[in-house]
Amino acid sequence: MGLKRKLDEYRKKKADGTFKSEEEEQRELKRGLEEEQKQLQEKKKKYVYIKEMTWVDILLRLGLYAVLQYLFYNFGFGVPFFMVSLLVGMYLSTSVRWKRRKAGELSAYSVFNPSFEKLPGEMDGEKMARQYAGGGLVMG
């Protein structure tokens, strides 16, 4: 019974002109695979990748910092160099270029998002005030 149904479907497709040979189906599958690969490559481009630091990198950077700190200390600028290096370190650790995040993806901290955009579902004072004033219902 299953074979008869397949034969009927084959005849119907052939009569309608929607029948495709195996070569045509393979070409379509190949095209679909190529399109998926292109989309995957585009998605990979959207990520910001950073090079993982090795122990050698860390030791070289710490050594350079120690030498610079020593030089600035000898010239009488040890404390200002230390303070500026702390500020630079804080900026670099919170900047987007050091994170693995999709382009356009929001940060968990709204102060780092463009125009201080909040994440969906984030609680704030205004939302809590509306909730209490509305009798427990969240409006808006």
Side-chain angles (χ1 to χ4, degrees), residues 82-94:
F82 179 72
M83 298 301 285
V84 169
S85 63
L86 283 178
L87 291 173
V88 169
M90 285 191 295
Y91 172 74
L92 291 177
S93 68
T94 58

Side-chain angles (χ1 to χ4, degrees), residues 21-109:
S21 68
E22 286 185 33
E23 294 172 1
E24 290 175 349
E25 286 183 14
Q26 286 179 355
R27 273 188 246 132
E28 277 189 22
L29 288 173
K30 213 176 215 184
R31 268 189 248 124
L33 183 63
E34 289 172 357
E35 287 178 18
E36 285 182 21
Q37 288 175 345
K38 286 180 185 177
Q39 290 174 355
L40 183 63
Q41 288 175 350
E42 289 176 15
K43 284 182 182 179
K44 284 183 179 179
K45 289 179 184 176
K46 290 181 182 178
Y47 285 96
V48 179
Y49 289 101
I50 60 169
K51 178 188 166 210
E52 296 293 327
M53 287 180 47
T54 63
W55 285 104
V56 175
D57 292 334
I58 294 170
L59 290 175
L60 285 173
R61 290 177 188 204
L62 285 175
L64 176 65
Y65 174 77
V67 168
L68 288 173
Q69 180 67 45
Y70 178 75
L71 289 175
F72 276 91
Y73 175 76
N74 284 338
F75 290 125
F77 293 104
V79 174
F81 177 76
F82 179 72
M83 298 301 285
V84 169
S85 63
L86 283 178
L87 291 173
V88 169
M90 285 191 295
Y91 172 74
L92 291 177
S93 68
T94 58
S95 66
V96 176
R97 68 187 188 104
W98 291 92
K99 305 293 180 202
R100 290 183 185 161
R101 204 180 319 151
K102 292 179 187 175
E105 186 178 4
L106 297 176
S107 171
Y109 303 101

Side-chain angles (χ1 to χ4, degrees), residues 8-25:
D8 289 339
E9 287 177 11
Y10 169 77
R11 287 180 181 156
K12 187 177 180 183
K13 285 182 179 181
K14 197 166 187 181
D16 293 345
T18 57
F19 175 75
K20 296 176 185 172
S21 68
E22 286 185 33
E23 294 172 1
E24 290 175 349
E25 286 183 14

